């Protein structure tokens, strides 16, 4: 037979070991559960209800106390199903044990636990966001907006500066369906190309939280040209402007009926007008033909800079061009927005229903107050955002000391533009500390940056590509009491958001992590330094067989490590939790000579037999267990005192022993037995050889 493995030193159950878990049901902690020799589910480690994946807490970490030899990893008597997977990793503490953050705001999970001193402010009730169902939803005052992008599914905290939608009637209120019908209040007369007819197809329509009006254009064009839907008058007071003003113009659009057949282009029409409303210039920006997908899934936008010296008003609309003789029939729903002083549109801003007017959404502000953070002791911060192309804004994280001096503020600014993401640590005394790592990113792709300082004030920063930089001494003015989260700190004020920020995560550690941990955190979002991993099984099938419920992973060779991490995933487990009564993590003895062919496997049981007067039998199975009769015919003299006798001593204490009869078998997890071992005879000399011994034992599965 192939070589057997026998393990008696179990770091998963040793009293000296530190065993922790990500989730524990009340009264079913992992340390007490795995220290028990019995395989009862009632005394097992069990996760909380609903926790069946490692991401939610089905993980465990074992600290052997020092660097030790390891080889075998076993889970026994579990409720894991045949669909379960496991992953075993062993290595250094930095490679296996995640650093504990003082707080870790994971907005990307859709919710977060407020740390002590958490505050959020935004006055007014005009703030909107997309909920997890893709529905535009109004947020109450002073309520954080956890948005789900309708197209990518990414979740983030939406933090925005004060913005005004200067289009007074974005819902198209006041419209009346008809041909031509009545156009929405405040919208300019439509321009309809020869041979075509414009009409109001929908008034007060509703979809995905939007209220809208839709315009239809149909007929056969008698000349090449265009039709235009002008969303404001040429002299609308809310659209007042001057030369060099910058505008962010946008619209949620949907083709609600018809098609773009015969259409040569769909574009934004932007007209600069003088004080009397006369048009000075007209610009068009071609956009993608609006799709038929749900309203909210497509938003066209552009940045526009006013060019005319005498410009006084801006007019914004939609222009649809066609060729002569084209058969046209399209219906377009429009929810527009015009924001002056911005290059990138913010979230939808809407006036109260029935009261069209230019509407303001106030700035978001998020901070921690009443903190006591010793900056000189070192710190690390991780900021994970989803940049939007052209946003050109800063996501600030910062600390403000007990002093109210502006020059005492220390902060990280993560700047985003159309093609790069940058992090810098700054204060008004030193400016930027060192060069800042940059990263090219695509629109709406998560970008992560980390910055840290040690006790001497040396700064190090890293981006998601793992690029790190460092520089000289920073400014640490004693204890920080305020921490801004999304706005530049300014003296005693935590600061407000600038631009349009989609913050997925902010994590803060009250220590300077190592350079490799910082690079790992920036690259992966985890502080685990993979360079210290001595063994990684990868995510593999747990190998659970019906009726045995046992998982065994054997490393290819002995390895040395102090820490071990187990990750379990069994998302479809019908129990709704993970229950693991017994585990083995430790070294094994691989006898030089194989187990003798006379070794045997079997089961024993307890069955209550009930017999009727008619001779019928009714067996009731109480329990059954697997066992092995182990025969080693050729134990080498060198193995007796180094391996066999220590094994015998541990077995006599009643501890569980692991026996794997065939380490190379594909059925090793089914054949292995973890339980009580008893020797069944003294050592003998099988061939009158002074160098070989014979040893016999029985091992029974622990119930």
């Amino acid at each position: 037979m192939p070589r057997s493995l026998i393990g008696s030193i179990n770091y998963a159950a040793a009293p000296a070991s530190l065993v922790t878990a990500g989730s524990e049901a009340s009264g079913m902690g992992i340390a007490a559960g795995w220290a028990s020799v019995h395989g009862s589910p009632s005394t097992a480690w069990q996760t909380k209800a609903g926790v069946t994946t490692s991401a939610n807490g089905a993980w465990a970490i074992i600290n052997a106390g020092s660097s030790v030899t390891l080889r075998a990893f076993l889970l026994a008597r579990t409720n894991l199903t045949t669909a379960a997977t496991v992953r075993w990793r062993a290595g250094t503490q930095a490679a296996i044990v995640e650093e504990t953050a003082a707080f870790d705001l994971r907005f990307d999970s859709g919710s977060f636990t407020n740390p002590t001193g958490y505050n959020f402010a935004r006055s007014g009730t005009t703030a909107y966001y997309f909920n997890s169902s893709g529905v535009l939803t109004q947020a109450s005052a002073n309520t954080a907006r956890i948005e789900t992008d309708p197209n990518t599914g990414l979740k983030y905290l939406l933090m925005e500066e004060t913005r005004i939608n200067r289009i007074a009637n974005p819902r198209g209120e006041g419209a009346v369906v008809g041909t031509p019908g009545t156009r929405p209040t405040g919208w300019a007369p439509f321009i309809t190309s020869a041979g075509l007819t414009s009409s109001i197809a929908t008034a007060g329509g509703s979809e995905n939280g939007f209220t809208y009006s839709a315009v239809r254009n149909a007929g056969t064009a008698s000349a090449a040209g265009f039709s235009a839907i002008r969303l404001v008058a040429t002299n609308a007071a809310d659209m007042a402007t001057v030369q060099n003003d910058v505008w962010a113009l946008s619209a949620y659009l949907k083709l609600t009926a018809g098609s773009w057949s015969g259409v040569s282009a769909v574009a934004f029409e932007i007209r600069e007008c003088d004080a009397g409303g006369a048009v000075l210039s007209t610009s068009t920006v071609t956009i993608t033909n609006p799709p038929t997908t749900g309203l909210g899934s497509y938003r066209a936008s552009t940045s526009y800079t006013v060019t005319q010296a005498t410009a006084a008003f801006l007019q914004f609309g939609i222009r649809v061009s066609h060729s002569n003789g084209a058969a046209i029939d399209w219906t377009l729903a429009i929810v527009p927005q015009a924001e002056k002083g911005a290059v990138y549109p913010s979230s939808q801003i809407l006036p109260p229903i029935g009261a069209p007017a230019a509407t303001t959404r106030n700035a978001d502000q998020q901070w921690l107050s009443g903190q006591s953070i010793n900056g000189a002791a070192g710190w690390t911060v991780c900021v994970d955002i989803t940049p939007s192309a052209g946003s050109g804004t800063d996501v600030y994280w910062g600390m403000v000391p007990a002093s109210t001096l502006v020059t005492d503020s220390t902060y990280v600014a993560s700047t985003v533009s159309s093609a790069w993401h940058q992090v810098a640590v700054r204060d008004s005394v030193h400016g930027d500390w060192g060069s800042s790592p940059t990263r090219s990113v695509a629109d709406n792709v998560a970008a992560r940056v980390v910055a840290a300082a040690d006790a001497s004030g040396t700064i190090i920063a890293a981006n998601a590509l793992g690029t790190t930089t460092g520089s000289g001494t920073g400014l640490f003015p004693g204890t920080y009491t305020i921490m801004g989260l999304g706005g530049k700190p300014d003296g005693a004020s935590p600061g407000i958001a600038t631009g349009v920020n989609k913050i997925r995560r902010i994590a803060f550690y009250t220590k300077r992590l190592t350079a490799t941990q910082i690079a790992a955190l920036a690259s992966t979002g985890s502080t685990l330094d993979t360079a210290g991993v001595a063994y990684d099984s990868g995510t593999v099938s747990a190998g659970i067989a019906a009726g045995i419920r046992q998982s065994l992973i054997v490393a290819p060779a002995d390895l040395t490590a102090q820490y071990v991490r187990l990750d379990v995933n069994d998302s479809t487990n019908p129990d709704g939790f993970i229950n693991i009564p017994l585990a083995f993590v430790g070294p094994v003895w691989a006898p030089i000579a194989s187990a003798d062919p006379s070794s045997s496997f079997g089961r024993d049981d307890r069955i209550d037999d009930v017999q009727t007067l008619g001779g019928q039998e009714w067996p009731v199975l109480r329990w059954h267990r697997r066992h092995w009769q182990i025969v080693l015919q050729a134990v080498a003299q060198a193995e007796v005192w180094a391996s066999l006798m220590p094994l015998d001593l541990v077995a006599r204490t009643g501890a569980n022993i692991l026996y794997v009869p065939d380490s190379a078998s594909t059925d090793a997890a089914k054949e292995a037995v973890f339980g009580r071992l008893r020797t069944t005879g003294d050592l003998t000399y099988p061939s009158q050889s002074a160098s070989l011994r014979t040893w016999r034992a029985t091992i029974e599965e622990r119930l």
Side-chain angles (χ1 to χ4, degrees):
M1 293 178 65
R3 290 181 76 176
S4 302
L5 303 176
I6 307 176
S8 60
I9 301 174
N10 186 6
Y11 294 106
S17 67
L18 177 63
V19 185
T20 57
S23 174
E24 297 180 339
S26 178
M28 304 186 77
I30 193 168
W34 283 4
S36 172
V37 297
H38 299 289
S40 171
S42 63
T43 58
W45 166 45
Q46 183 169 300
T47 62
K48 294 179 180 179
V51 176
T52 58
T53 65
S54 60
N56 291 332
W59 57 263
I61 292 176
I62 300 163
N63 177 4
S66 62
S67 188
V68 298
T69 300
L70 302 169
R71 181 76 184 280
F73 309 90
L74 175 91
L75 305 175
R77 311 296 298 173
T78 79
N79 74 332
L80 296 179
T81 70
T82 55
T85 62
V86 296
R87 182 183 184 186
W88 290 94
R89 283 172 284 177
T92 63
Q93 182 175 9
I96 301 302
V97 182
E98 192 78 43
E99 291 286 350
T100 301
F103 66 84
D104 194 349
L105 301 178
R106 297 304 303 259
F107 305 110
D108 54 358
S109 66
S111 62
F112 59 95
T113 300
N114 293 340
T116 302
Y118 179 82
N119 303 275
F120 188 92
R122 184 192 60 255
S123 60
T125 59
T126 62
Y128 285 83
Y129 68 101
F130 288 103
N131 66 17
S132 59
S133 299
V135 175
L136 189 69
T137 305
Q138 188 176 39
S140 301
N142 302 318
T143 302
R145 292 175 290 166
I146 308 296
E147 181 168 81
T148 301
D149 187 287
N151 294 304
T152 66
L154 292 175
K155 286 186 171 63
Y156 43 76
L157 171 70
L158 191 56
M159 292 281 289
E160 299 178 297
E161 64 190 3
T162 299
R163 290 283 185 90
I164 302 172
N165 184 2
R166 296 178 181 274
I167 293 180
N169 189 12
R171 292 189 179 90
E173 295 183 77
V176 178
V177 173
T179 304
T182 302
R183 68 179 183 274
T185 303
W187 291 21
F190 301 153
I191 300 300
T192 305
S193 185
L196 305 181
T197 300
S198 293
S199 61
I200 300 298
T202 304
S206 179
E207 183 176 352
N208 293 335
F210 289 90
T211 300
Y212 67 92
S213 287
V215 177
R216 184 185 182 195
N217 202 238
T220 300
S222 58
F226 65 87
S227 296
I229 306 167
R230 290 167 178 164
L231 306 165
V232 289
T234 56
N235 59 351
D238 295 321
M239 298 290 288
T241 195
V242 295
Q243 187 180 32
N244 297 321
D245 273 351
V246 178
W247 290 75
L249 304 172
S250 62
Y252 284 101
L253 302 169
K254 177 185 178 179
L255 182 69
T256 61
S259 72
W260 296 117
S261 176
V263 170
S264 57
V266 180
F268 283 157
E269 181 189 74
I270 307 163
R271 306 207 298 176
E272 296 181 30
C273 307
D274 65 13
V279 177
L280 302 173
S281 67
T282 300
S283 300
T284 58
V285 178
T286 301
I287 61 176
T288 301
N289 289 354
T292 59
T293 52
L295 194 58
S297 64
Y298 173 68
R299 188 186 201 185
S301 66
T302 190
S303 177
Y304 182 79
T305 301
V306 176
T307 62
Q308 301 299 310
T310 59
F313 302 101
L314 199 71
Q315 187 180 50
F316 175 47
I318 307 294
R319 176 183 286 199
V320 181
S321 301
H322 53 260
S323 59
N324 183 22
I328 301 296
D329 190 354
W330 52 260
T331 303
L332 186 64
I334 310 167
V335 183
Q337 188 148 301
E339 301 166 75
K340 186 164 68 173
V343 297
Y344 187 79
S346 66
S347 62
Q348 187 66 52
I349 304 171
L350 298 169
I353 293 176
T359 305
T360 301
R361 181 201 57 246
N362 293 318
D364 296 300
Q365 189 177 20
Q366 180 185 223
W367 74 99
L368 300 181
S369 59
Q371 303 301 296
S372 181
I373 300 170
N374 182 5
W379 49 264
T380 303
V381 64
C382 173
V383 179
D384 190 342
I385 71 171
T386 301
S388 298
S391 58
T393 58
D394 290 340
V395 177
Y396 290 99
W397 161 87
M399 300 185 294
V400 181
S403 165
T404 60
L405 297 176
V406 174
T407 56
D408 286 346
S409 297
T410 299
Y411 59 93
V412 175
S414 302
T415 307
V416 181
S417 76
S418 60
W420 51 270
H421 182 88
Q422 182 183 63
V423 61
V425 183
R426 301 170 176 163
D427 65 48
S428 57
V429 174
H430 299 90
D432 290 0
W433 284 326
S435 59
S436 303
T438 62
R439 178 194 177 199
S440 295
V441 295
D443 187 20
N444 288 322
V445 174
R448 188 183 306 107
V449 289
V450 177
D454 61 16
S456 67
T458 300
I459 300 299
I460 186 172
N463 65 13
L465 299 181
T467 306
T468 59
T469 61
S471 64
T473 303
L475 177 65
F476 296 104
T479 301
Y480 292 91
T481 57
I482 295 177
M483 185 177 294
L485 306 171
K488 177 181 177 181
D490 186 12
S493 169
I496 60 176
T498 59
V500 179
N501 301 317
K502 300 173 182 179
I503 304 176
R504 294 169 54 78
R505 179 189 185 191
I506 300 179
F508 181 75
Y509 304 81
T510 54
K511 63 185 288 189
R512 154 75 180 272
L513 302 182
T514 67
T516 52
Q517 286 179 310
I518 290 168
L521 182 59
S523 299
T524 67
S526 166
T527 64
L528 299 181
D529 175 15
T530 57
V533 174
Y535 173 71
D536 186 347
S537 70
T539 300
V540 297
S541 170
I544 300 297
I548 297 179
R549 300 292 180 104
Q550 182 168 273
S551 175
L552 174 68
I553 301 295
V554 179
D558 287 347
L559 59 103
T560 302
Q562 178 175 341
Y563 291 87
V564 176
R565 175 174 174 126
L566 162 69
D567 291 281
V568 179
N569 288 283
D570 196 12
S571 59
T572 57
N573 191 302
D575 293 335
F577 54 78
I578 302 300
N579 181 283
I580 304 176
L582 297 173
F584 177 88
V585 173
V588 294
W589 167 40
I592 295 173
S594 301
D596 191 80
S598 62
S599 298
S600 60
F601 170 83
R603 297 180 189 268
D604 58 302
D605 54 52
R606 164 77 182 273
I607 298 177
D608 293 342
D609 287 312
V610 178
Q611 291 184 324
T612 67
L613 293 177
Q616 296 171 317
E617 296 183 352
W618 300 88
V620 179
L621 178 64
R622 298 299 182 183
W623 55 263
H624 68 91
R625 63 187 174 194
R626 299 170 301 122
H627 65 248
W628 275 94
Q629 302 294 336
I630 306 170
V631 180
L632 298 181
Q633 290 282 20
V635 181
Q637 173 72 17
E639 297 179 285
V640 171
W641 299 107
S643 301
L644 182 55
M645 287 297 99
L647 164 67
D648 180 78
L649 183 60
V650 172
R652 292 176 189 276
T653 68
N656 290 321
I657 305 297
L658 172 63
Y659 177 62
V660 184
D662 181 354
S663 58
S665 172
T666 56
D667 293 318
K670 303 171 188 175
E671 296 170 345
V673 168
F674 186 56
R676 185 90 180 270
L677 183 144
R678 299 177 178 86
T679 58
T680 55
D682 295 334
L683 285 173
T684 61
Y685 297 78
S687 303
Q688 297 183 351
S689 170
S691 62
L692 296 177
R693 303 287 187 273
T694 295
W695 176 75
R696 289 178 169 82
T698 297
I699 186 168
E700 299 166 330
E701 185 177 15
R702 202 64 177 257
L703 301 181

